[in-house]
Amino acid sequence: MAKVILVYPIGGSMLDIVSRRIPLGLLAVSAYLDKEGYEIKIIDQRVDKDWKNTLLEELKSNPICVGLSCSTGKQLIYAVETSRFVKENSNVPVVWGGVHPATLPFETLENKYIDIIVSGEGDITFYELVKALEKNQDLKNIKGIYYKENGEIVKTENRELIENLDTLPELPFHLVNVRDYSSVNYIDGPSIDLMTSKGCPFKCGFCYNLYFNNGRWRAYSIERSIKMIKFMIENYKIKNIHF
């Protein structure tokens, strides 16, 4: 089936080298698409130092879109650079998700290299967006996005939070090389991040939680969490887990 390219920009900190975290957000928005057989290419600039040539080669397949995850800070520099590179070499729509666009959607979309923003949880929103872009459908009925139309920024209806996380597909860890993210130097073996919950019950003014999770905390069931842990241990020989 059609291809979707997802890019994780360099964050600009030593953590990119010493202890890079697996891009769980990109895996989360890939889950439904992967389940339906879409071809998904994840390019992590922290891992792929030749990312421009990789991206250029992938753009030749005329993908449905290129999606980027971006937080506020130095990562913005690399995210904008990547978006500009995509536009200079293709007509593929550029979609941003993550902390920064969710917090400052209108300001973000003022950038000429960015076409669409997925605001907040992208698990379902990005899936619906890709399907609509593939069929060249109107985007107005997709909840949780901002996009440009005739020079104006359009905001659609807010997306409801996913109440039962157990209904979400398993994360497609096969889309990345898990060992690239097992770089924390524990004595007894490799480590990995696992997401067993979303959000936070507190409402700190400096945190993106209010934009993503409405100040709420939701968790996978104990059974689902244990299943994930067993999967990582049995398939990737993980010894340490950061929840």
Side-chain angles (χ1 to χ4, degrees):
M1 292 188 70
K3 178 176 288 186
V4 174
I5 301 173
L6 295 173
V7 181
Y8 192 88
I10 299 169
S13 84
M14 283 300 294
L15 287 177
D16 287 347
I17 302 171
V18 178
S19 175
R20 68 177 75 97
R21 289 185 165 182
I22 194 165
L24 292 174
L26 295 187
L27 293 177
V29 299
S30 300
Y32 277 111
L33 294 168
D34 179 72
K35 189 176 179 181
E36 286 199 8
Y38 280 80
E39 183 181 354
I40 301 167
K41 175 64 177 180
I42 292 180
I43 301 173
D44 191 331
Q45 294 177 359
R46 301 169 300 171
V47 175
D48 186 352
K49 303 307 178 184
D50 194 28
W51 64 267
K52 283 189 176 181
N53 283 330
T54 302
L55 179 54
L56 192 61
E57 191 63 29
E58 296 295 336
L59 287 173
K60 293 178 182 178
S61 65
N62 192 30
I64 298 171
C65 66
V66 174
L68 295 94
S69 176
C70 186
S71 294
T72 305
K74 197 171 182 180
Q75 194 176 39
L76 281 169
I77 298 172
Y78 299 96
V80 171
E81 177 189 353
T82 305
S83 301
R84 181 175 64 247
F85 184 80
V86 172
K87 289 300 185 182
E88 288 174 348
N89 292 280
S90 74
N91 294 315
V92 176
V94 172
V95 183
W96 273 33
V99 173
H100 186 81
T103 308
L104 296 168
F106 289 98
E107 180 180 289
T108 302
L109 268 184
E110 287 175 0
N111 188 288
K112 63 182 180 180
Y113 304 119
I114 306 165
D115 301 304
I116 306 167
I117 284 174
V118 171
S119 181
E121 280 185 326
D123 307 66
I124 298 173
T125 304
F126 187 68
Y127 167 74
E128 292 184 357
L129 174 62
V130 168
K131 301 281 279 188
L133 289 173
E134 182 182 25
K135 299 175 182 177
N136 198 30
Q137 295 176 339
D138 198 319
L139 303 182
K140 65 182 179 181
N141 294 321
I142 299 174
K143 295 181 180 180
I145 66 170
Y146 296 73
Y147 64 97
K148 295 172 183 175
E149 186 175 69
N150 300 321
E152 300 292 330
I153 295 176
V154 179
K155 177 188 181 300
T156 66
E157 185 180 346
N158 291 336
R159 170 77 59 179
E160 304 86 355
L161 287 177
I162 301 167
E163 296 294 339
N164 183 0
L165 299 187
D166 283 6
T167 61
L168 295 172
E170 305 286 349
L171 293 187
F173 285 100
H174 62 272
L175 295 178
V176 297
N177 181 2
V178 172
R179 287 290 176 175
D180 286 336
Y181 306 96
S182 302
S183 56
V184 178
N185 293 318
Y186 287 100
I187 295 174
D188 56 341
S191 66
I192 201 69
D193 285 0
L194 273 188
M195 180 172 60
T196 55
S197 66
K198 291 189 177 192
C200 174
F202 301 104
K203 297 178 174 61
C204 302
F206 57 80
C207 186
Y208 73 97
N209 177 52
L210 288 176
Y211 298 96
F212 259 73
N213 305 290
N214 299 331
R216 292 184 53 206
W217 180 82
R218 294 150 295 143
Y220 286 98
S221 65
I222 294 174
E223 293 77 15
R224 177 73 178 263
S225 298
I226 292 175
K227 182 180 179 182
M228 285 191 283
I229 294 168
K230 285 184 175 180
F231 176 84
M232 299 308 295
I233 292 172
E234 292 171 359
N235 289 273
Y236 299 107
K237 312 305 177 187
I238 297 299
K239 296 294 184 180
N240 305 278
I241 295 174
H242 176 222
F243 294 100

